[in-house]
Structures are given as C-alpha cells and as structure tokens.
Amino acid sequence: MISRDVLKKIFVAFCFAALCLAAYANSLLNGFLMDDYPMLIKNRHLGSPSFLQLVVPEQAQQLLYFRPVTHLLNLITYSWFKENPVGYHLFNLSLFYLACLSLYELLTLTIKDRHIPLLTCVFLCTHPINGLLVNYKNAGGLTLLILAANLSLIHFLTAGEHRNKIPHYALGLTWLLVALLCHEIVLAFPLYLAAIVWYLKKGTLKDILSSFWMIGIVFIPYLFFRVNFFEVKANLIGTISSLHISLLNFFATYVQLILWYISKLLTLKGIVLMWGTPVIKNPAASWGLVGLGGMGFLGVLGRLAQKTKRDEISLAIAWIGIGFLPVAWACLSRPLFGIIIEPHWLIFSSIGYFLLLAILLAKLRNFINSKLYAVLLVSIGLFYLTGTWNYNYLWGDQKRYCRYWQALSPYAYGPNFWLGYAYLEEGNYRQARDPFTRILKSGVRDFETLGNLGLVEYRLGNFKTALNFFQESLAMNPRYADTHYYIGDIYLKSGQLKMAEKFFIQAVRLDPSLIDSQKKLTLIRQRQGVR
C-alpha cells in the first residue's frame, strides 16, 4: 500500500506540473529567436566534433567556453524536433518541471516545515526572471544544470547519513560533472553545499572539508583542463586594465549590476536577456556605491558569522550572496560589450531569494488570519504569473522582444544586433542597416556586425561598400568562411576571376559544407577553360 508521504509527494508533483503549464502555456507556440538560429536552425556544424567541443587541446584555445553537455543537448533536441518550436518548448518546460521537483526534494531533506520548500518551488515556477529557461530553445543546458546541481547536492547530503556512502558520492560526482559541463556558474557549487552543511545540518568545519575533498575528484581535473587547455577569456585584473578603469570604478559598476538584478527580482520590471551599464567613473557615485555594497557585505557577513543564527534564513542569505560571486568574473567575459550581467547567471541567487521569501511568509503565517494569509499568497502568485505571461508574449517575436530590450538599452549590442538580424532574415535590408549601424556608433566594431552590414549592402547591390565592410570583418576574423565567400562573389561579379577563385578556395578550406563556394569555383574554372 502506498504510504501517505508518497501520496503527498505525488500530489505536489501534479500541482507543480499544473503550475508550470499555467505559467508557460502562452509560450508554447513562440517561434525561434536570436541565438536559436546560429546554435540550432542555421548551424551547418551541428553534430560535428567541433560543435560538440570534442577537440584536441590546440583547438580548445579557440573556444569561448567549454559546455559540451549543453551542446549535446542542443544536438539531441534538434534531432528530435528539427524546426518545430513547440517540441523545444515542451522539452524545456519538462526539464524546468524536473528542476522544480529536484529543488523541492532537496529542501525537504533539510527543512522540516514542508510549507517552506513548497512555496520556494512555487515562486521558482512562476517568477518571470526564469522565463529564459523555457522560452529560449537552446537554453535547455541551463535547466539541466539546475536539475543536475540539485541532484548532486541531494546525493552528497544523503551520503553523510548512510553507511554505504560510495554509491551516493559516485552519483553526486557524476551529476556535478554534468552540471559543470553545462555552464561555468556551477564553480560555486562547493560553497552552496558548505552553506547547507553548516547552516542546516549544523555540521563542523571538518564535515565541510571532507565534502570538499570529494568534490575535488571532479573539480581538480576540470580546473586543470580549463586552465591549461583554454584561453582564459575574462582575466579579472587584465580585463579591468584593458577597459582603462580603476578597481574602485569596477566595484562600483559591479554593485550597480547587482542592484539592477535585485530590482528585477522585486519589481519584475525591465527584465532582459543581458543588461550592461556604463562604467561608474564619477568619484562620488563610485564611493557611494562601493560604500553601499561594503555595508551590505559586512551586514550579511555579520549575520552569517553568528553561531546562534545557523538557520534557514542564513542559508537563504548565503545562497543569494554566493550567487553574486561568479558575476564578478562573468561580467567581464565580453569586454567588447563593457560590463554586463545576465539574469541566468544568478539562478541560485534567485532560488535563495525565493527561499528567503518563503521563510518570511511562513513566519508571517503565525501572526495573521489564515484567510488574509491565503489572499496574500494568491496575490503574490498572480503577480508573478501575470509577469511571466507578459514576458512570454514579448519572447514570442524576435523583433518585438528586441524593440522592448532596445527601449531599455538603446545602444546595447544585444538588442540592436538581433533586431538587425531579424530584419536581415526577412529580407528587409534597409531597416536592418539602422540597428547594425547603431552598434558601430556605440563604439563597438566586431566582425559579426561588420559582416552583417556587408551582407546588407551586398543584398542592396552596393558592392563597393559591402566589400569594405567584409574586408574589415575578415581582418578581425580570418577564419569565417562566409566572409571569404561573399568577398569572392563580389570579385566574381566584377570579373576579377583570380581574386574570386582565391577567396572561394579559402572558403571551402575553412568550411567544406559551403556548397555555393564549390559551385562558384566550378563556374570560374569553366570560364577559364579548366576542366
């Protein structure tokens, strides 16, 4: 006979499924957008060793990041769903649902009041800051990361309570490796585990260090591989120096990013895929922000250091703060765009916030009327749900989302690039020109923007202007086969067969799948009388 606890868990699981579906039902028909095209729909290298990042160490230096599990997941979903966006949405939503269930299981292992895990997961299901996890077709790796990290934490914690620890440690390390190969934000994993052991399990420093030793089995080889075979794209001090800013300016801007994120959690307004802020250089503003951040840090540290405060609230605050740490490095990961933040970097900070809110509401339940408490919970739930529905609508169309994003950050790279890309894809070349040009006016000149402007002018028949853009793009990235192809085609149109042949040959060398280059080479050789 099924026990009462099992029946309760089944009921909770059905409730979470209904809630996830309610939150994202109006997103299921949303189309592909932004990174979905280069990563999935228009990726000629999908399934190749380079796409799966199965490369030799020399090639690893060319990679921006190392996330083979995320890429493998993209390959699997593409093989299943091809160009059917509904399939990707349902798959991501299913992963998101499993991530919610795993978080509930994790919290019920450590928190006696079941009301708190339940509310925490309800907020995770409904808050719009998590919308990217379902709406972005190629974001399945991020949702798998949450699921894998939660399962790893569950097994590490369970191992401490069983005599036969090896199976649980083995499974914990396996899930940790999966999470690490999804995204680098899991590098803070040891601190999340330490916070649970210290604040909820009332463990000792020895208990924490013993867990760290086990984690090192996966972490040490991973870090060795990353440091020795990958170019470190975001060296903190080096990047700060290249941006010509002081440490004071950097930390002031970092605090500004964190405040932006906190405001989105609280108000739900202005949530975007990526947000950047101008470097705070005003001395008074810099000292003010650094002072504010310093006081917040010291206040939190004082709370967490109190042995009498080893409770759920301290855990929630610790998780929020730990999630801020990777942002100090990640915000410099794209120095071309300045100092940026992406909300999905702070997934575990968000979970910490939801946990803190759930704890405070659970405490409030003891002081107010039950009906009033129910009204309060329903109000918060509807506030989050309506926010999520609104953002689902924005995610439904690339141009709509980019215009919304552009209104918040007029000269930011992301909204302008992807708005121009959308116009380019639909053949509206004159309108595509403006967003790409706006990027150049902001001071950013990258090979993709220049290449797209070259393509705009090429499609409009302005071949001389197009050639200038393509050549500048090629100087920045000589390994981009498409640029060689278009330069070759411009030379072919002007009758410069030798020059055209040179660029078509290089395009084929870089990417043998470029059939058009091979066809143009055949055409040139026919004109030259070569068989």
Side-chain angles (χ1 to χ4, degrees):
M1 187 174 178
I2 301 175
S3 69
R4 192 171 181 178
D5 282 345
V6 172
L7 287 173
K8 282 183 179 180
K9 286 187 176 183
I10 292 172
F11 176 72
V12 168
F14 275 112
C15 289
F16 283 154
L19 195 57
C20 286
L21 191 59
Y24 292 100
N26 70 322
S27 74
L28 296 180
L29 298 178
N30 287 353
F32 297 100
L33 69 165
M34 295 182 280
D35 279 337
D36 294 334
Y37 290 101
M39 284 297 292
L40 293 170
I41 305 306
K42 292 180 173 288
N43 192 340
R44 293 193 300 267
H45 305 290
L46 198 68
S48 69
S50 61
F51 174 77
L52 295 173
Q53 300 190 316
L54 304 174
V55 295
V56 296
E58 291 77 11
Q59 292 173 313
Q61 291 286 336
Q62 300 167 13
L63 299 177
L64 292 172
Y65 53 79
F66 185 64
R67 302 169 191 166
V69 169
T70 294
H71 283 226
L72 177 61
L73 196 62
N74 285 337
L75 174 62
I76 292 170
T77 52
Y78 183 78
S79 67
W80 287 349
F81 309 123
K82 295 295 188 288
E83 298 187 18
N84 176 17
V86 177
Y88 294 91
H89 279 301
L90 288 173
F91 181 83
N92 286 352
L93 186 57
S94 299
L95 268 183
F96 184 61
Y97 165 66
L98 292 175
C100 292
L101 285 182
S102 67
L103 178 63
Y104 180 76
E105 183 65 22
L106 172 64
L107 294 179
T108 54
L109 275 178
T110 53
I111 298 174
K112 293 181 181 179
D113 184 351
R114 296 296 178 90
H115 191 68
I116 293 172
L118 184 65
L119 282 182
T120 303
C121 295
V122 166
F123 298 149
L124 176 65
C125 289
T126 55
H127 197 292
I129 206 160
N130 304 311
L132 170 138
L133 302 175
V134 176
N135 281 290
Y136 228 33
K137 317 304 178 298
N138 67 90
L142 287 168
T143 318
L144 177 60
L145 175 152
I146 304 172
L147 174 61
N150 287 340
L151 290 174
S152 183
L153 287 169
I154 289 169
H155 283 292
F156 272 107
L157 294 171
T158 305
E161 299 173 358
H162 282 73
R163 289 183 179 179
N164 190 6
K165 301 176 185 297
I166 293 176
H168 287 291
Y169 277 133
L171 286 168
L173 291 172
T174 301
W175 282 115
L176 176 57
L177 183 60
V178 169
L180 278 170
L181 298 180
C182 285
H183 201 285
E184 297 78 6
I185 59 172
V186 188
L187 286 169
F189 177 90
L191 299 179
Y192 294 118
L193 177 59
I196 295 175
V197 172
W198 181 259
Y199 291 112
L200 294 189
K201 293 293 186 179
K202 305 297 188 291
T204 63
L205 185 60
K206 182 180 177 181
D207 295 326
I208 292 172
L209 291 176
S210 65
S211 298
F212 281 8
W213 180 83
M214 292 300 301
I215 292 170
I217 295 173
V218 166
F219 259 59
I220 291 172
Y222 173 82
L223 291 173
F224 178 82
F225 178 75
R226 289 299 304 267
V227 170
N228 286 278
F229 300 128
F230 277 75
E231 180 182 353
V232 180
K233 295 291 180 180
N235 174 281
L236 193 63
I237 303 299
T239 307
I240 290 172
S241 299
S242 71
L243 292 172
H244 306 292
I245 59 175
S246 67
L247 283 173
L248 174 67
N249 298 146
F250 166 72
F251 283 114
T253 309
Y254 169 73
V255 172
Q256 179 86 336
L257 293 178
I258 297 301
L259 291 174
W260 176 87
Y261 160 76
I262 292 171
S263 74
K264 305 309 132 187
L265 273 179
L266 296 174
T267 68
L268 317 190
K269 293 182 179 178
I271 299 172
V272 291
L273 179 64
M274 178 197 296
W275 185 77
T277 179
V279 175
I280 309 297
K281 292 186 176 181
N282 180 280
S286 294
W287 282 112
L289 283 166
V290 169
L292 179 63
M295 286 189 294
F297 174 75
L298 291 174
V300 167
L301 196 62
R303 171 61 158 82
L304 298 180
Q306 296 179 46
K307 288 189 177 181
T308 57
K309 301 292 185 181
R310 292 171 71 176
D311 55 13
E312 293 93 343
I313 291 180
S314 291
L315 173 69
I317 293 171
W319 270 44
I320 293 170
I322 292 167
F324 293 163
L325 297 177
V327 177
W329 170 82
C331 69
L332 296 170
S333 59
R334 302 183 185 184
L336 189 66
F337 308 152
I339 300 179
I340 60 169
I341 189 170
E342 299 181 23
H344 58 268
W345 294 343
L346 296 122
I347 289 170
F348 293 100
S349 288
S350 297
I351 290 173
Y353 168 74
F354 301 144
L355 176 59
L356 180 61
L357 181 58
I359 294 166
L360 295 177
L361 287 169
K363 289 182 179 295
L364 182 64
R365 180 177 51 167
N366 299 322
F367 299 100
I368 64 173
N369 179 275
S370 59
K371 291 183 179 178
L372 181 60
Y373 181 70
V375 169
L376 178 61
L377 289 185
V378 170
S379 298
I380 294 173
L382 288 175
F383 178 53
Y384 286 174
L385 276 174
T386 53
T388 296
W389 293 335
N390 178 58
Y391 282 104
N392 289 343
Y393 168 76
L394 292 173
W395 279 104
D397 178 79
Q398 181 162 320
K399 288 187 292 184
R400 181 193 303 145
Y401 187 84
C402 288
R403 288 193 194 104
Y404 154 76
W405 187 3
Q406 191 185 55
L408 297 170
S409 303
Y411 285 91
Y413 181 89
N416 286 294
F417 181 87
W418 292 114
L419 182 59
Y421 185 92
Y423 284 127
L424 191 60
E425 284 295 299
E426 68 183 22
N428 198 338
Y429 304 118
R430 296 189 186 280
Q431 280 195 276
R433 182 191 283 154
D434 181 62
F436 290 132
T437 303
R438 186 176 290 200
I439 292 174
L440 301 188
K441 288 179 180 178
S442 73
V444 174
R445 299 185 81 85
D446 67 298
F447 84 93
E448 287 183 289
T449 300
L450 292 164
N452 282 331
L453 276 169
L455 189 56
V456 165
E457 300 301 338
Y458 173 89
R459 297 297 185 195
L460 291 172
N462 303 323
F463 297 120
K464 185 177 179 180
T465 305
L467 185 60
N468 290 336
F469 281 125
F470 283 134
Q471 287 174 333
E472 188 176 352
S473 175
L474 193 65
M476 293 181 179
N477 183 6
R479 297 190 58 80
Y480 196 59
D482 291 68
T483 309
H484 287 276
Y485 168 79
Y486 284 112
I487 292 176
D489 202 48
I490 289 172
Y491 282 127
L492 179 61
K493 291 179 185 298
S494 64
Q496 300 180 62
L497 301 187
K498 286 290 183 184
M499 289 294 290
E501 183 180 29
K502 171 187 169 183
F503 282 96
F504 286 138
I505 288 173
Q506 186 61 18
V508 172
R509 283 176 182 165
L510 292 170
D511 186 355
S513 68
L514 266 178
I515 298 173
D516 287 344
S517 292
Q518 296 173 351
K519 289 180 178 178
K520 295 291 173 69
L521 275 173
T522 302
L523 178 63
I524 288 172
R525 286 162 184 166
Q526 286 175 346
R527 290 186 183 180
Q528 292 173 332
V530 178
R531 294 185 180 180

